[in-house]
Amino acid sequence: MSVLSERPSAGMPEDTVYTPEDLLTLPGAKHCELVDGLLVEKEMGFLTGLIAEKIGRALGEYVERHQLGWTPASECGYQCFQDAPRKVRKPDASFLSLERMPAHQVREGHVRIAPDLAVEVVSPGDTASEVQVKIEEYLAAGVRLVWVLYPATATVHVYRTNRTVTWLHEQEELTGEEVIPGFTVRVGDLFPVRPEIHVLSDE
């Protein structure tokens, strides 16, 4: 999944508090985020994974071709939440401009600055409130553009720092706006299969 359920990862003691550094070395934590010091597993099914790979590859190819910056894998953690030092998020895809992170500043470990773009692909188990919490966290941290992809409806919701929101449907174009100038992809091309409709709940 991309927007996760805020529940501790299976197999981990629920009362164990971890640090961001632990997340880098713990066996089995590759696909976990850290929320208030608790490991939270990111569950991603086959379709969700296909869509995440598709948008990540499209971004990566464009950004590399135009030498705009970095599009790390989904396992890359962002430790960029000022009021939450024990929080690490791992978007399904992301972009960080070369201007904000020059090559000589690239290091191992978690990224300490917010990405310019964060992308999340919604899974059937995600609730509306969980999705919204993550969007708000990204925008508050300084992410300029957030894309949330909904496989069930083949739509993309675009969130910006000025708090404007745009819903895009299959025949419309998703663009990088001023964050990734010139990038464009037809929304419908990001969704290879339309699954059975699943309505997000707040449970």
Side-chain angles (χ1 to χ4, degrees):
M1 82 191 263
S2 52
V3 182
L4 66 159
S5 301
E6 305 293 18
R7 292 177 285 274
S9 177
M12 298 292 182
E14 294 191 10
D15 57 349
T16 301
V17 176
Y18 295 94
T19 68
E21 291 70 28
D22 293 332
L23 192 61
L24 295 169
T25 58
L26 280 171
K30 181 179 180 181
H31 298 291
C32 290
E33 294 184 318
L34 194 70
V35 179
D36 297 328
L38 299 178
L39 291 179
V40 181
E41 187 172 5
K42 292 186 55 142
E43 302 168 359
M44 182 175 287
F46 183 70
L47 176 60
T48 308
L50 284 178
I51 296 169
E53 189 277 336
K54 199 173 190 66
I55 186 61
R57 176 158 42 87
L59 283 169
E61 290 175 355
Y62 183 86
V63 167
E64 183 174 0
R65 183 164 65 250
H66 295 278
Q67 299 183 349
L68 298 177
W70 318 102
T71 54
S74 59
E75 292 84 5
C76 174
Y78 286 91
Q79 187 184 352
C80 59
F81 305 96
Q82 185 175 1
D83 298 327
R86 291 183 181 270
K87 178 172 290 181
V88 177
R89 291 297 194 187
K90 296 181 179 180
D92 293 322
S94 61
F95 164 71
L96 190 56
S97 69
L98 192 62
E99 180 180 356
R100 295 182 60 235
M101 180 176 278
H104 70 272
Q105 292 183 8
V106 173
R107 299 287 187 274
E108 284 290 359
H110 305 304
V111 182
R112 296 301 187 97
I113 61 176
D116 295 276
L117 165 72
V119 183
E120 296 290 347
V121 185
V122 177
S123 293
D126 300 328
T127 68
S129 59
E130 290 166 354
V131 174
Q132 195 60 42
V133 164
K134 181 170 271 194
I135 293 167
E136 292 297 329
E137 287 179 353
Y138 283 139
L139 294 176
V143 178
R144 299 169 62 193
L145 202 58
V146 180
W147 295 343
V148 182
L149 281 63
Y150 290 84
T153 55
T155 58
V156 179
H157 296 186
V158 179
Y159 298 81
R160 308 173 183 86
T161 51
N162 63 5
R163 298 294 169 168
T164 59
V165 183
T166 303
W167 292 16
L168 300 175
H169 300 273
E170 289 181 84
Q171 300 304 320
E172 297 179 287
E173 296 290 321
L174 174 65
T175 74
E177 303 182 14
E178 71 280 2
V179 177
I180 310 178
F183 177 83
T184 181
V185 62
R186 178 180 169 274
V187 169
D189 291 340
L190 297 174
F191 301 97
V193 178
R194 176 78 71 84
E196 182 180 350
I197 294 295
H198 174 82
V199 180
L200 289 176
S201 70
D202 284 306
E203 296 179 358

